[in-house]
Amino acid sequence: MSPDSASPDIGARIDEQLLKTVGTDAASASPTELMQAVSQLARQDLSERWVRTQAADRGAKARRVYYLSMEFLIGRTLSNALAALELRDGVAAGLQAHAQTLEAVADREPDAALGNGGLGRLAACFLDSMATLGLPSFGYGIRYEYGMFAQDIDQGCQVEYPDPWLADGTPWEFPRAGISVPVRFGGWVEHQGHGEQAKAVWRPAGEVAAKAYDMVVPGHGTQRVSTLRLWKAVAPAHIDLHAFNTGDYGRAAGVKNEYENISWVLYPNDSTPAGRELRLKQEYFFTAASIHDIVGRHLEEHGTLTNLSDKVAIHLNDTHPAIGVAELMRLLCDDHGMAWKEAWAQCRQVFSYTNHTLMPEALETWPVGLMQHVLPRHLEIIFRINQEFLALAAQHRPNDDGFLARLSLIDEAGERRVRMAHLSIVGSHKVNGVSALHSDLLVQTIFADFASLWPDRFTNMTNGVTPRRWLQQANPGLSALLDSRLGAGWRRDLDQLRGLRALAEDPAFQAEFTAVKRANKARLAAHIERSTGVKVNPASLFDVQVKRIHEYKRQLLNLLHVVTRYQAILMHPKGIGGRPWVPRTVIFAGKAASSYHTAKSIIRLIHDVGRVVNHDPRVGDKLKLVFVPNYGVSVAELIMPGADLSEQISTAGTEASGTGNMKLALNGALTIGTDDGANIEIRQNVGDDNIFIFGLRTPEVLATRQAGYQPMRLYEADAGLKAVLDGIAHGQFSPEEPGRYRALVDSLLWGGDHYLLLADYADYVATQARVDDLFRQPEAWAAKAILNVAGMGVFSADRTIREYAEQIWGLPADVR
Ligand SMILES: *Cc1c(COP(=O)(O)O)cnc(C)c1O
C-alpha cells in the first residue's frame, strides 16, 4: 500500500459533487454537505471497482463464502473508503480550499450501528478482511431502520433514544430495485402422497417482501470490493386502501406496520433471552431471503444444485441464522424436489457455525409452540433431522437415554423448546469457538456430548481485528511512526509489527512513541471534557474499561478498586510507603441493555462515585473518574489510542474471546486482565512480563464455587474491602438516597457474588499497585507498551479469516 498522493483534480471533483449531487454552492458548503460530496466521490470510484469484482467472480464461477449475521457494527464508512481508494491525502488537500479538515468532515457521518457489541463488530472486521484477502464473499444481514439505541446520561442514569441513522439517507447503500424476495410465515402444512412420493406443501398465512440494499465493502491494497447485502421488510400492500377510504387511517397503516416492523429495530439482545415472536421472525426473515438469494445465484451460474456445496459456503455467526439449516432443506426438498438424503449431505457441507458464548442463559432456544405458529414446515423438518440424528447417536452409545436427551434438538424439560445451537452443530461440518480457551471449554462443557460423537467437527478460530480501522484509521500518529520505522506493509501483514521488538529499548523511539500516546491522550481529554464536562490531566495514567456493561465483565470490580483508591488517598494524602500517588484517570464507556436493571445501576454508581471523587478538593488530579457516553465504533476509535491501561477483568471462563482487549493492546495499552478468553493468547504473544494477569483461573473459579463460596467471609476478613462495600451500601456516594446501592452490594454479600468479585478483589488491588510502580518508570512503561504493539500481529482479523478460509470454507486466500 503506497502512501496516498495528492491529486490536483480532487478539489475539482469535490466541487462538482457539491454542485451536481448534493445540490449546493461549493462556496458555501457546510461540513455535512462536504461529507456528502466526498462520500459520493468515493462511492463512484468504489462502484466501478465493485462492478468489476462481481463480474469477475461471475465469470470465474467462483466458490463464495456467505457470512450470515444478525449484526454488523460497521461504524462510519467514509475514512475507510478513502483509505482503500488511497484518496485520503488528496481529499484532505482538496478540503483545505473549504477551510475544513478531513477529520471534521468525516465526523459528520452517523455511525451505522447495526449491532450490539463484540459479535457485531467482529462481523464488520471480518468483512474488511475477507475483501482485503480477495475472498469472493458476501455479508448478509438486516437493514435496521434504527440501529443500536443512542445513549444519553441524565442525572447519572442511562436513557435510551432511537438511533435514526438513515433519517438523512446514506451514500453508502445501493438499493437493488429489482431484487425482492418473498418471505412467508405461519399457516399449515399439507402432506400429499405416500412413501417415496410423499410431498409436503406449506400453506403460509402471511408474506412479506425482503428488498435488497447493498453496502460496499472495499478491500485494502486490492481492487476487490465485496458486498454487504442488507434486507428491508416491505409489506405486500402499502396501505389497506379500503380501510383508508372509509376513514380508518389507523388500520390502513397497521397492515403496513405489521409486516415492516420486522426490519425496524435491532433487538437489544445482549446475552439475555429474548423470546419474542418478532425476533424469531427477524431471524427467519433475513436468513430465508439470503438463502433464496444464494441458491438463485448458484442456479444462475451453474444451472444445477447437485454441486451446491462445491460452490457455496454459508457461515452462521452464532445461532441467529440457524433456522437456515431447516430453510435450505425445505428449499432443496420441497421446492426443488431433491431427495432428503442428498439434500442433507449438501446442507452439512454448506454450513459452518461459530459459537460465541458458554453461558447457558445466552444459548438461544425457541418454544416448540411458537415455532409451530410461525414456521410450521420448518418445525417438521427439525423433527425429522432430530429423529435421524438421535438414531445415529443411539448407535454410538446404546441404552443411554440421558445422552440422547442431552443431545436432542428439542429440550423436553418443561415447555418443549428447539435448541438452536444443537441444530447448528448437527447441520454444520465445522463448529468453532473464538479463542483457544473458549474452544476448549466448549468441548469440555456445553458441547461435550457432541464432541464425543464428532471430535473432528470442533475447532478454534481465535478472533482478530482489522488493523486498517483499529490502527491506520484510529491512530494516525502511531501509524506514521510505524511507517517511518517499518514501512507501510503492516497494514496487510500485521506480523511485521514484530520489527518493533528491536526498538523497544531505543530511547529515541521510546520518546516518539510516548509523544504519540500523549497527543492521543490530549485528543481524548478534549472529548472527555466536551462530553462530560470533566477536565482530566493527559499526564495521568489513563485507565480504560470500554465495552458493554455486564455483570460478567465486572465493571463493578473496577469500581471497587476506584473506591478503594479514593479512600486510601483520603487516609494517606501523600502516598503510601514514601511513594506519592500516581495520578489516574479511570475511564468507562459502554451501553447497558435497556431491560438490564443491574447493569444500569452500575452505570449510575459510576456517575455517583465520579461526582464525589471528581469534586473532592483533597483528591485533585490524583484520581478522576469519567463515563464517556454513547459508546460505539467512533467513540472506541477515539478512546483506544489514548489508553495506557486496558481493563479486561471478566471472571475467568466467561469472556469467550474479547476483541476490545486486542484493539487496546494494538494501540499500545498494557492489559490488566484475568486469565480469560483471548487475554491468555495476548499474554503468550506479548510475554508474561508485559501484561498484568491476576485473579482466579478457570479451574479455580469452578473449584471455588464447588467448595461453597462464601463472599461474606472475605468481607469480614478484609477491613479495606469492608470499608469500600459499606461506603457504597450506606450512601457515601448517594447521600441523597443512602440505600440506592444496597441491593447491588447485597447481591455480592448475600446473593452469592456469582462472578466472584470479592474472590478476585485483593489480587486485583495489589496488581493495580504494581501498575502504579511501573508507571512511575516512564521508560520501562514505554518499552512494555512497545512490546505489546510488537506482539499483536497474530490478532489481525486477516490471520483469523485466512484460517477460516483454509480450514472451514475451503477457499484459497490471497497470499500476502
Ligand atoms: C470492539 C468493540 C466491542 C467489543 O468489546 P469487548 O471488550 O471485546 O467486549 C464492543 N463494542 C464496540 C463498539 C467495539 O468496537
Side-chain angles (χ1 to χ4, degrees), residues 479-488 509 512:
S479 297
L481 181 59
L482 295 175
D483 289 348
S484 76
R485 304 303 164 97
L486 305 175
F509 185 75
E512 286 183 70

Side-chain angles (χ1 to χ4, degrees), residues 151-295:
Q151 178 194 56
D152 201 356
I153 303 295
D154 182 22
Q155 317 262 5
C157 298
Q158 168 176 298
V159 279
E160 300 105 32
Y161 291 96
D163 168 25
W165 71 290
L166 286 170
D168 297 326
T170 168
W172 302 111
E173 67 178 13
F174 291 70
R176 295 297 181 198
I179 303 180
S180 173
V181 179
V183 178
R184 304 176 172 101
F185 297 98
W188 69 93
V189 182
E190 281 174 21
H191 290 275
Q192 303 165 350
H194 293 281
E196 288 295 304
Q197 260 61 56
K199 199 167 176 302
V201 180
W202 179 19
R203 306 283 184 204
E207 178 179 314
V208 58
K211 294 218 173 231
Y213 287 74
D214 289 349
M215 317 250 322
V216 287
V217 181
H220 292 255
T222 163
Q223 295 278 314
R224 173 168 289 274
V225 174
S226 287
T227 308
L228 170 58
R229 178 158 288 180
L230 300 177
W231 300 103
K232 174 186 175 163
V234 177
H238 283 264
I239 52 169
D240 182 336
L241 198 58
H242 179 71
F244 190 88
N245 287 339
T246 56
D248 190 347
Y249 306 124
R251 197 160 68 81
V255 177
K256 187 175 163 74
N257 293 347
E258 183 190 332
Y259 290 99
E260 301 196 348
N261 62 14
I262 289 177
S263 57
W264 277 355
V265 296
L266 166 65
Y267 215 94
N269 174 37
D270 191 63
S271 307
T272 53
R276 292 288 148 286
E277 182 172 332
L278 183 59
R279 167 85 182 191
L280 178 60
K281 283 185 167 170
Q282 285 185 324
E283 293 183 355
Y284 179 64
F285 166 76
F286 96 92
T287 305
S290 306
I291 289 184
H292 181 99
D293 203 44
I294 293 164
V295 168

Side-chain angles (χ1 to χ4, degrees), residues 73 111 116-119 121-122 465 470 546-548 552-553 631-637 640 647-648 655 657-664:
L73 195 46
D111 272 39
N116 282 294
L119 176 150
R121 183 54 231 177
L122 184 77
V465 300
W470 296 110
V546 292
K547 49 184 75 246
R548 290 302 297 261
Y552 86 83
K553 292 176 181 281
Y631 188 57
V633 173
S634 291
V635 173
E637 287 175 39
M640 306 273 179
E647 300 267 356
Q648 307 298 336
E655 187 73 271
S657 164
T659 49
N661 47 4
M662 301 169 187
K663 299 167 200 165
L664 281 154

